[in-house]
Amino acid sequence: MQTYNIHAAKTHLSRLVEQAAKGEPFVIAKGGKPMVKVVPIDAPPPRQVKRLGFLAGQITVPADFDRMAEDEIAALFEGEE
């Protein structure tokens, strides 16, 4: 996504609005700090990325996962080495 400072956005506003209306949003910044994002009104809402289960079927979790390295972990909490 392109970022334009306020001066450049004012200078090229017509062209930038046309691009945004065609689905190419842009950001207007002031002093290098992003201030606003310009998007078309009828743009579909951005898709939310679903993270839960994104590795389903690609990895396996061992049956003893909750007991892995329990002796070492217990030693750390009990101060033994």
Side-chain angles (χ1 to χ4, degrees):
M1 182 175 312
Q2 287 282 60
T3 300
Y4 300 92
N5 66 38
I6 290 178
H7 178 72
K10 288 192 308 185
T11 303
H12 304 288
L13 185 60
S14 295
R15 179 178 56 85
L16 294 173
V17 168
E18 285 297 320
Q19 286 178 352
K22 292 177 183 175
E24 298 177 34
F26 64 94
V27 173
I28 298 176
K30 182 177 183 180
K33 179 182 172 191
M35 300 295 288
V36 296
K37 179 173 149 182
V38 180
V39 297
I41 291 177
D42 60 296
R47 269 186 11 169
Q48 294 294 325
V49 177
K50 293 183 182 179
R51 299 296 298 170
L52 186 62
F54 71 100
L55 288 176
Q58 297 181 29
I59 62 169
T60 58
V61 178
D64 66 341
F65 174 77
D66 58 339
R67 292 184 310 276
M68 292 174 65
E70 67 183 4
D71 294 334
E72 291 88 355
I73 296 170
L76 288 171
F77 281 100
E78 296 168 4
E80 299 174 16
E81 291 188 30

